[in-house]
Structure formats: structure tokens, C-alpha cells
């Protein structure tokens, strides 16, 4: 506990004090709790504590997000784990521990066993199906930490970052897909800390192995045979190798390290086309030459696996230019034309400069857009309104071709087709620039066909001419976009114009990005001062669904920071809608009623009886309205 307090206070000697004078355990006998078999604070726990501080996790109170609507209840993991969890539950019949299964996002899928005391503890801390135990939300724990560390993690008593969890002891280990190696979820064993035992690690390790074996059994014989061919090809070469089957795609480490996502997608499409070819014209082996994102020519050998008349998969082995990898291959420097001096291409950044966010989906979209920009590959960026589609394109343009023009053409002006075509044709004359066609979803059929002819004529050779991007807005939870014309073209019809498609996930599916976005957005509205967000207010922001995505978040922060120069935003400074998690669109009257309830609760420091008297309604009515609108205003002691 002393080590944790020193960590929270930012003491630089926290790590040394936590390990003790011998470098192994926590210094002093008082750090040991009854039943904790290893009274030490190891490197893994200290690393987890540091991550918790970076995520501003509340160490005194527990805020467990409810994410039931995002869970796949029919997942392969859950069905494969059910018999194993039944067996573990029987083994624990006379014990005080319960077993929990969570998915790869730390969302609890099911729990089994446990005596009355353990079940009460689990209920109290919301360790139940439908809740998220991600480390950035609840702090150090056996589920989120195991996924973050990618290995067995044991967290006993005071090693939990959040104080409400310190009555528990848990051991968790990731469950990996036996074919792809990806983390599919985690098995966790939880008990009261006085009942902890080193055998907990052995139980979850065996349970995870049994689940992985059952997952492998659920794959067909064809998938296993294809995997054997993929592994054999990987042993024969040190270069990139891919496997494509009708239900599975995977690549070896070299392919992931040396190739861009767009390159992997291109090779996968080549293998899929070979698999789908008519039986009469299908060849068992095809050698082709591919140009990857760095500009290098790569020899790819596609070999079908299985009988000639019924292939079960395709293995793609690639040979890189001798003496260099694709990341160091000769390529045009961003912004140069063919014939100028060629320099090594810069590796793709993890996240483009000027963007904020750390989620895997956002970084993947950043890399895909940057790769398309570097290849001048026409791309369609798809996402809900306000997710940051144009911001991605701007960041890629400024990174690849700084100093050149970026022109945005709005396609929503349906009746003015000649004007739109003239603007597009004029923009396409800048061969080193970027042309953004906004609101593809609102382009009529006639306009899209004329644009297709215009873009096809401008793109004489791949890798030349301006970079053309189309932004396609799909319906979401936010305000309904303008209605598309009756002759609107679906995204599938314009794939010839935009061979590359990048999907941008809504902000509600990547809440971890909010912690990175808030400081950047507040810096725009701080009027030259320093406006920050208190941890309690950050918790409110991360729990909200943000139907308007990043644009919505920016509007809320702009309103909260208005007129301030130096301040820490508190929960009561945020718009009332942020304290509601209602899953349906409210009428104007309901929204006004919800806002009045939120303001009254803030004025009453979270006391619902006082808020009811202030509003002139009964105690039962305010409780019913709070449940109806999903209002989540913390009491004063939590703020």
C-alpha cells in the first residue's frame, strides 16, 4: 500500500521502495496482506500502475463501463470456452473462487462459481457480464492487465490500483487463437484476498490451454491443412508469407514487419482472385510482380493448397529485392515527380503528425491513408459524420506532400453538376496536389458516372497525377445527414474509381482516444491560457457515447471552456447530455427535462432527495426519470 501511495504521489523512488532492499519484494512486513502468497510489487504491477496514472484512473473509486451492446455474444471464444468453464466450476465447487471469461477488449462475457461472499464482491465491483474491465478504465486487475502485458498476470490485494478491488485476489491469462496467434480473450480466477493461492495461476493456465485446444477443434480439416502448408512455406523462406482461405487470413512476422497494410491487402486480393477463378482456367501456381508502397518491385508466388479442382487456400510467398527491405527500397521522396533524384522512402508513422488518439483502429486508419497517399492510390474514406475523415486526409497530405495544395470539392450541390465538374477538372491539373471529393453519398448517378470518366482520364498511370480521395458519410447515432438523391450511387458501384477503402470507426468504439483528444481540443479553446480536464470530468467524457463523434466532443469542450483561461473542468462544467446514457433519441421536451434533472443533481451535490424537492417532484419520480434517461451524476464525495 505504501508503494502504491508513493506511485500516486509521483515519488521518483517508488519503484525502488516497492521492490525493497533486496530488489525483489515490497520492503517491510506491513506490505504483506493476509493470504497474499507473494508480498511483492513486481515490475509488471509497477508498469501497470504507471499506465493507470497516464489514463487518469480514479484510485479511490471504481468506475466500470457498461458495454453490453458492443459484445458479440455468439463469438467462437464463448462457445469453445463453455464446456471448459463448466469443468472448472465443478473443480471449484468446494472453493471460494469464481472463474471469469472476458473477450479481447476486456469485456466480461460470463462468470461461474464462487461462494456467496465472492459473488457479493463481484456484484459490488460490477465484475459481471456486460461490463468492461479494461486497465484504462478500472486500473490494475487480472483481466485488463493480462491483456496489456500479453501474459499471465497475478494481482493480489493491494496490488490493485483501485481501492475497491483490493479485497480481491485474481490471476488471469490471455487465450490466443491457435491459428493466428491473436489474443481472443482472457480467463480470470477471482477470490477474496485472504483465500489467495499460488495454484490459481496453474488453474487458469490449464483452462486457457483447454479453451485454445477446443478452438482449434472447431476449425475444419481444410483450414488445418491450409495452416500446415502456410507453416511449411514459412520454414522454407525468411521472407513474407501470407495465407488466404475463404474463412481465414494470416501472415507471418516478416510480412507484418516489412509490408504496409495496403501491401498485405493487395497480396490478399491477388490470392482471393486466384481462389475464385473458374476451375477450367485456374492454375495451381502463379508468379506475379507487385509494386509495394515503398515503390519496390516484389516477386510474389501464389500457390494453391489442396486438390486442383477444389483448392482450400492459397499461400503467397514474396521475394524482396536483394540487399534491401521494402521499407528501405528506393522510392520517390514525398512530393517529387518521376525522373527526379530518388531517395529512400520514410517508414510510415504509427500516427500521422497532427492527429491525436492511441486506439488500434485509429492508428490503422492513419497508416492506411498515409500508404494510399504515398502511392497516389485513389481512396475512399468511410465513416460517420464527425469521426475525422477530412482530418486524416489533411494529415496524410501534409506529411507526404507538404507545400502542395489540398482542394476540397463538395458534391452535395446536386443541381450544379457542371460547376462541380469544372472545379474537379481544375483541381486535377495539379499533379502534386490532393483532391478531396466530399459527400460521395450525396452524389447522383449522373454526376458519379461523369466523375468516373473524368478521374479515369486524369489517372494515366498508377503512381502519377494528384491523389484523389472520396469522403463517404454513413448514417450514425448523431444528427441525420441530408437525404441522398433518389439516383444516389452506393459505395460498391464506385469501386473502380476508388480501389482502396479505409473505414474510420466511430468515437464510441474507441473511447481510449478521448483522453488524447481532450487536451488537444481544449488547447484550441483556452483563450491563450491553460484549461485542463479533471479526472472526474474525464471519466464522464469517456463514458458518454458521443453520437456526433469528435465534432460533438469539440463542441462540448468549447462550451465548457468558454470564457476560461486557467481552470480544471469539473463534471458540473460539462453539458447535461454528457451525464446521460439513454440509448434512444430524446424529444426536445425529454432533453429539456433531462437537463433540468442533471442541473438539479449538480446543485444538490448528487443528493437525489434534495434535487427532487428543488424540482417540485416526488422522490419516486426523480428515481424513475434518472433510470429512464440514464443519468449518471456522481455524489459530491466522488467529485
Amino acid at each position: 500500500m505504501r508503494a502504491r501511495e508513493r506511485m500516486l504521489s509521483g515519488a521518483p523512488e517508488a519503484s525502488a521502495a516497492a521492490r525493497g532492499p533486496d530488489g525483489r519484494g515490497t520492503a517491510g512486513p506491513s506490505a504483506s496482506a493476509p493470504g497474499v502468497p507473494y508480498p511483492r510489487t513486481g515490475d509488471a504491477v509497477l508498469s501497470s500502475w504507471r499506465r493507470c496514472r497516464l489514463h487518469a484512473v480514479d484510485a479511490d473509486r471504481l468506475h466500470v463501463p457498461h458495454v453490453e451492446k458492443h459484445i458479440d455474444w455468439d463469438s467462437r471464444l464463448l462457445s469453445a470456452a463453455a464446456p471448459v468453464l463448466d469443468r472448472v466450476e465443478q473443480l471449484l465447487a468446494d472453493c471460494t473462487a469464481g472463474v471469469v471469461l472476458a473477450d479481447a477488449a476486456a469485456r466480461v462475457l460470463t462468470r461461474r462459481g464462487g461462494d456467496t461472499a465472492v459473488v457479493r464482491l463481484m456484484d459490488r465491483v460490477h465484475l459481471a457480464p456486460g461490463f468492461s474491465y479494461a486497465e484504462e478504465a478500472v486500473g490494475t486487475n487480472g483481466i485488463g492487465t493480462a491483456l496489456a502485458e500479453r501474459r499471465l498476470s497475478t494481482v493480489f490485494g493491494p496490488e490493485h490500483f483501485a481501492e475497491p478491488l483490493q479485497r480481491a485476489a485474481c490471476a488471469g491469462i490471455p487465450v490466443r487463437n491457435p491459428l493466428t496467434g491473436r489474443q481472443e480473450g482472457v480467463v480470470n480466477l477471482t477470490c477474496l484476498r485472504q483465500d489467495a493461492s499460488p495454484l490459481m495461476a496453474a488453474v487458469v493456465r490449464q483452462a486457457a490451454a483447454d479453451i485454445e485446444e477446443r478452438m482449434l477443434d472447431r476449425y475444419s480439416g481444410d483450414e488445418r491443412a491450409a495452416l500446415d502448408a502456410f507453416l511449411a512455406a514459412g520454414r522454407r523462406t525468411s521472407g513474407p508469407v501470407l495465407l488466404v482461405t475463404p474463412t481465414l487470413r494470416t501472415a507471418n512476422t516478416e510480412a507484418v514487419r516489412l509490408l504496409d497494410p495496403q501491401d498485405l491487402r493487395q497480396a490478399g486480393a491477388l490470392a482471393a482472385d486466384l481462389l475464385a477463378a473458374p476451375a477450367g482456367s485456374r492454375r495451381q501456381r502463379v508468379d506475379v510482380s507487385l509494386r509495394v508502397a515503398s515503390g519496390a518491385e516484389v516477386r510474389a508466388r501464389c500457390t494453391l493448397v489442396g486438390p486442383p479442382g477444389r483448392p482450400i487456400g492459397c499461400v503467397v510467398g514474396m521475394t524482396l529485392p536483394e540487399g534491401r527491405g521494402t521499407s528501405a527500397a528506393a522510392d520517390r521522396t514525398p512530393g517529387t515527380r518521376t525522373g527526379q533524384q530518388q531517395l529512400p522512402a520514410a517508414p510510415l508513422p504509427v500516427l500521422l503528425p497532427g492527429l491525436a488518439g492511441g486506439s488500434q483502429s485509429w492508428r490503422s486508419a492513419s497508416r492506411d491513408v498515409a500508404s494510399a497517399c504515398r502511392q497516389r492510390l485513389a481512396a475512399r474514406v468511410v465513416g460517420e459524420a464527425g469521426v475525422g475523415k477530412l482530418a486524416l486526409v489533411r494529415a496524410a497530405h501534409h506529411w507526404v506532400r507538404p507545400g502542395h495544395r489540398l482542394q476540397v470539392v463538395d458534391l452535395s450541390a446536386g443541381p450544379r453538376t457542371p460547376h462541380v465538374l469544372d472545379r474537379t477538372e481544375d483541381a486535377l491539373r495539379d499533379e502534386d496536389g490532393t483532391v478531396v471529393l466530399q459527400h460521395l453519398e450525396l452524389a447522383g448517378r449522373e454526376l458519379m458516372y461523369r466523375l468516373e470518366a473524368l478521374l479515369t482520364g486524369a489517372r494515366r498511370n498508377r503512381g502519377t497525377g494528384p491523389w484523389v480521395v472520396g469522403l463517404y458519410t454513413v448514417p450514425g447515432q448523431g444528427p441525420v445527414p441530408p437525404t441522398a438523391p433518389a439516383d444516389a450511387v452506393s459505395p460498391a458501384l464506385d469501386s473502380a474509381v476508388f480501389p482502396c477503402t479505409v473505414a474510420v470507426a466511430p468515437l464510441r468504439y474507441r473511447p481510449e482516444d478521448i483522453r488524447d483528444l481532450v487536451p488537444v481540443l481544449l488547447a484550441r479553446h483556452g483563450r491563450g491560457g491553460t484549461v485542463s480536464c479533471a479526472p472526474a470530468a474525464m471519466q464522464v467524457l469517456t463514458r458518454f457515447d458521443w453520437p456526433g463523434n469528435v465534432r460533438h466532443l469539440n463542441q462540448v469542450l468549447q462550451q465548457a471552456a468558454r470564457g476560461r483561461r486557467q481552470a480544471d473542468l469539473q463534471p458540473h462544467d460539462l453539458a447535461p447530455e454528457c451525464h446521460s446514457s439513454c440509448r434512444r433519441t430524446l424529444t426536445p421536451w425529454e432533453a429539456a427535462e433531462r437537463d433540468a434533472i442533471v442541473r438539479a443533481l449538480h446543485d444538490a451535490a448528487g443528493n437525489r432527495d434534495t434535487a427532487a424537492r428543488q424540482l417540485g417532484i416526488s422522490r419516486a419520480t426523480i428515481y424513475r426519470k434518472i433510470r429512464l434517461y440514464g443519468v449518471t451524476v456522481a455524489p459530491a464525495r466522488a467529485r
Side-chain angles (χ1 to χ4, degrees), residues 344-356:
L348 291 176
V350 175
L351 187 67
L352 286 167
L355 300 179

Side-chain angles (χ1 to χ4, degrees), residues 221-227 243-247 275 304-307 310-314:
D222 288 348
E223 288 172 322
R224 292 195 186 188
L227 178 65
L243 170 65
V244 177
T245 74
T247 58
L275 281 171
L304 293 180
V305 180
R310 193 183 66 85
I312 59 177
C314 181

Side-chain angles (χ1 to χ4, degrees), residues 233 236-242 252 254-255 258-259 267 286-292 294 296-302 315-326 329:
R236 292 193 299 267
T237 179
S238 59
V241 180
L242 285 78
N252 66 354
E254 286 299 301
L258 295 175
L259 299 177
V286 176
D287 292 334
V288 296
S289 178
L290 298 177
R291 181 173 294 278
V292 294
S294 64
E297 290 284 344
V298 174
R299 297 293 300 173
R301 169 165 291 186
C302 304
V315 175
V316 182
M318 284 181 270
T319 304
L320 303 178
E322 186 174 354
R324 59 183 181 181
T326 60

Side-chain angles (χ1 to χ4, degrees), residues 127-387:
L127 183 55
F131 289 88
S132 171
Y133 256 69
E135 192 180 66
E136 60 267 23
V138 300
T140 307
N141 68 90
I143 295 175
T145 303
L147 290 170
E149 293 285 333
R150 307 184 67 84
R151 59 190 173 95
L152 173 71
S153 293
T154 55
V155 184
F156 296 107
E159 291 181 338
H160 288 90
F161 189 81
E163 189 173 351
L165 294 177
Q166 293 179 5
R167 290 188 56 201
C170 51
I173 188 171
V175 178
R176 289 182 170 83
N177 188 308
L179 289 184
T180 64
R182 298 188 184 96
Q183 291 187 148
E184 295 285 344
V186 63
V187 180
N188 175 74
L189 205 63
T190 298
C191 67
L192 300 178
R193 74 180 186 185
Q194 60 265 28
D195 298 325
S197 166
L199 295 178
M200 295 170 64
V203 173
V204 295
R205 185 179 283 112
Q206 184 60 49
D210 292 343
I211 294 173
E212 291 172 355
E213 184 177 355
R214 284 187 56 82
M215 291 181 67
L216 185 61
D217 291 339
R218 298 178 75 86
Y219 284 100
S220 65
D222 288 348
E223 288 172 322
R224 292 195 186 188
L227 178 65
D228 290 340
F230 166 71
L231 296 176
R235 288 191 292 267
R236 292 193 299 267
T237 179
S238 59
V241 180
L242 285 78
L243 170 65
V244 177
T245 74
T247 58
L248 174 69
R249 290 195 180 196
T250 188
N252 66 354
T253 305
E254 286 299 301
V256 176
R257 185 176 69 86
L258 295 175
L259 299 177
D260 290 341
Q262 188 64 36
D263 301 333
L264 295 174
R265 199 172 293 120
Q266 181 184 4
L270 181 66
D273 291 342
L274 184 59
L275 281 171
S281 61
R282 184 189 298 131
R283 289 182 292 173
Q284 196 71 10
R285 178 176 296 173
V286 176
D287 292 334
V288 296
S289 178
L290 298 177
R291 181 173 294 278
V292 294
S294 64
E297 290 284 344
V298 174
R299 297 293 300 173
R301 169 165 291 186
C302 304
T303 306
L304 293 180
V305 180
R310 193 183 66 85
I312 59 177
C314 181
V315 175
V316 182
M318 284 181 270
T319 304
L320 303 178
E322 186 174 354
R324 59 183 181 181
T326 60
S327 60
D331 188 20
R332 286 192 313 256
T333 303
T336 62
R337 300 189 183 186
T338 307
Q340 293 182 345
Q341 184 181 5
Q342 295 184 346
L343 298 174
L348 291 176
V350 175
L351 187 67
L352 286 167
L355 300 179
S359 65
Q360 185 62 37
S361 62
W362 180 244
R363 292 186 175 188
S364 176
S366 169
R367 289 193 298 269
D368 288 351
V369 171
S371 175
C373 182
R374 191 158 63 178
Q375 298 178 78
R376 305 192 187 204
L377 183 65
R380 181 177 57 242
V381 183
V382 181
E384 295 180 9
V387 295

